[in-house]
Structures are given as C-alpha cells and as structure tokens.
C-alpha cells in the first residue's frame, strides 16, 4: 500500500470512529496533512463522517482550494479550520473538528473542561475558548467559513492540544491522526464525567498537572494509542 493510499484509508477509519463514538453526528470532519507535501492536506468532500469512503477524500491547499476536484464534489464549508491550523502549527499532522454535544454545553459557560480520570488526560492542561463574536461580531452563523476566521481560531489554539468554540464545538490538533481522534473522543468523555461530578456536588478532584504530564508523555501515548486505536477501529467496523 502506498503512503498516500494508507493515509486516505486512515482518514476514512478516523471518520468512522468519530461517528461510531458519537463525537460527530451528520457534521464534523477530520483531515491529515499530505504525507509528501506539507503545504497540502487531505479531507473528505462535504459528507457525513459515517458515510465517508476513500473516493471522497480530496486534496486541498492550505488556503482551502481543492486541487483535485473530481466532478464538482462540494467541499466542507468549514475546511478553513484545517488549513489555518496546518499553517500556524508545523508540528500538527491531523485536525479533528466536531460539535460533540456535552462539549458545546461547556463552551457556553465559564467552566473549563478538566480531566478527572487518567485516560482523559489526553485533552491536555488548558483548553482555550474561542468566541467568534469577539472579532467577527454577533451576526455570523458561528461557522468558520474563511481563512481570516480560521487564522483567528488557530491563534487562540496557540500551542495547545485543542480549542473550544463557543456555542459551536471544538477542534483538536494532533501530532498524529490517532492523537487528534483519541483526544477528541476523550474530550467528550471528560465533559460528561465533569457534568456528572458537578451534579453530585461538593468539591471535584481533578488530575494534577503532574498526573496529566504523566499521561501525555510520548513514551506513554506511543504505547497506549495503538492499542486503543485498534479497539476503536474494530468497533467502527474497520
Ligand atoms: Zn463546525
């Protein structure tokens, strides 16, 4: 299998996993930087993640222009999220954008999502909250539909693992596709657990900085991610 074919198959698997784990519904998307050209990325045409197949994966410039448009396939309106992050972050090779419901709930509050279970430490220490209203006013449709908005989102992401988007969703920036997908799945789990813990009441004990560092250490993730990726892949029928 060529590197490009392997990359495309991984993107299809990532789409199916995110759908199976209900991080995405009919919306949301996942991309990978092109394996042989860092100035391009690979992303499905506008299609629900559960239905994405290898023939749907198209190549884009970092500015969001489709360079292998086959028969007028429609791109995602929010593809600019991906290119803007690849431009700003040379270390990022995969981006996941989703509207996971419990995550969106948190995005409307001043309470940040924090990990309270060891496996959810992959969401990282601080998750910045981007509000499209701050720069683009109160009359947008909340979607990131141009490079100006994508660049502003990437600026808020900075060097973090992910960024929340007020009233909209979240975007994860991974060093690998496994990293971006697994972190997105655990962000939703972390949000649900935190909601449960806050409902019980009293003081919640979150992971310490050192406990999070211990889990996101590449020595640990390089061992854990392949195992959990295989599990999620099998659940998704891949
Ligand atoms: Zn969106």
């Amino acid at each position: 299998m060529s590197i490009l074919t392997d990359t495309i198959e991984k993107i299809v698997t990532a789409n199916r996993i995110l759908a199976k784990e209900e991080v995405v519904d009919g919306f949301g998307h996942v991309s990978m930087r092109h394996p042989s050209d860092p100035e391009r990325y690979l992303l499905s045409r506008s299609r629900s993640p559960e239905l994405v197949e290898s023939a749907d994966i198209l190549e884009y410039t970092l500015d969001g222009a489709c360079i292998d448009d086959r028969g007028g396939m429609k791109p995602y309106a929010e593809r600019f999220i991906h290119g803007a992050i690849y431009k700003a972050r040379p270390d990022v090779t995969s981006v996941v954008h989703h509207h996971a419901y419990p995550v969106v709930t948190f995005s409307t509050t001043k309470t940040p999502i924090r990990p309270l279970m060891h496996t959810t430490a992959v969401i990282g220490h601080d998750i910045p909250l981007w509000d499209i209203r701050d720069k683009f006013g109160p009359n947008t449709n909340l979607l990131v539909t141009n490079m100006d908005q994508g660049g502003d989102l990437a600026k808020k992401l900075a060097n973090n693992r992910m960024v929340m988007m007020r009233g909209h969703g979240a975007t994860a920036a991974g060093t690998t596709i496994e990293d971006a997908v697994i972190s997105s799945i655990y962000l939703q789990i972390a949000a649900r657990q935190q909601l449960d813990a806050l409902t019980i009441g009293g003081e919640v004990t979150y992971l310490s900085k050192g406990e999070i560092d211990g889990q996101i250490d590449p020595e640990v993730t390089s061992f854990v991610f392949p195992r959990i990726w295989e599990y999620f892949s099998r659940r998704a029928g891949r």
Side-chain angles (χ1 to χ4, degrees):
M1 202 183 277
S2 76
I3 292 173
L4 183 58
T5 309
D6 186 45
T7 302
I8 289 169
E9 286 305 314
K10 266 203 157 165
I11 296 170
V12 174
T13 298
N15 272 277
R16 304 289 180 80
I17 288 173
L18 291 165
K20 174 69 180 173
E21 303 307 323
E22 297 184 339
V23 174
V24 295
D25 51 13
F27 302 102
H29 22 88
V30 48
S31 70
M32 273 184 84
R33 201 188 284 273
H34 195 288
S36 54
D37 185 350
E39 295 300 310
R40 289 184 181 168
Y41 65 91
L42 298 158
L43 175 71
S44 171
R45 69 181 168 108
S46 182
R47 199 172 195 199
S48 295
E50 190 167 339
L51 309 178
V52 166
E53 294 169 12
S54 51
D56 297 317
I57 309 300
L58 303 175
E59 196 173 324
Y60 295 87
T61 67
L62 296 190
D63 285 323
C66 185
I67 61 152
D68 63 351
D69 181 21
R70 292 171 237 137
M73 285 182 171
K74 204 171 167 348
Y76 289 120
E78 291 199 283
R79 63 192 179 283
F80 304 100
I81 292 171
H82 301 261
I85 290 174
Y86 291 130
K87 264 193 181 186
R89 290 275 302 272
D91 60 312
V92 169
T93 67
S94 179
V95 172
V96 170
H97 171 63
H98 63 84
H99 309 152
Y101 306 141
V103 174
V104 176
T105 304
F106 271 94
S107 81
T108 63
T109 75
K110 302 287 179 216
T111 305
I113 301 175
R114 293 174 61 194
L116 53 81
M117 176 174 74
H118 59 111
T119 46
T120 59
V122 290
I123 70 174
H125 294 285
D126 298 306
I127 308 176
L129 173 62
W130 181 72
D131 189 339
I132 195 168
R133 211 181 275 176
D134 291 343
K135 184 171 177 193
F136 301 98
N139 299 318
T140 68
N141 63 2
L142 289 141
L143 303 184
V144 177
T145 54
N146 58 55
M147 282 306 283
D148 196 18
Q149 294 171 338
D152 196 53
L153 176 70
K155 205 168 132 192
K156 180 61 83 172
L157 168 71
N159 287 320
N160 295 290
R161 296 174 59 76
M162 52 183 69
V163 59
M164 305 264 291
M165 302 156 80
R166 193 270 308 161
H168 178 175
T171 298
T175 54
T176 62
I177 194 165
E178 290 89 346
D179 184 17
V181 169
I182 292 164
S183 301
S184 297
I185 292 168
Y186 280 111
L187 177 65
Q188 171 157 262
I189 293 169
R192 287 191 179 130
Q193 288 185 323
Q194 192 168 340
L195 283 168
D196 287 345
L198 293 171
T199 304
I200 293 167
E203 192 183 340
V204 179
T205 303
Y206 297 99
L207 300 191
S208 69
K209 183 178 183 306
E211 287 166 344
I212 295 172
D213 283 337
Q215 284 288 330
I216 59 177
D217 183 333
E219 262 194 45
V220 175
T221 56
S222 65
F223 172 76
V224 170
F225 283 0
R227 173 170 158 177
I228 198 72
W229 181 263
E230 184 188 23
Y231 165 75
F232 284 134
S233 300
R234 191 68 62 88
R235 274 168 61 83
R238 299 281 291 175

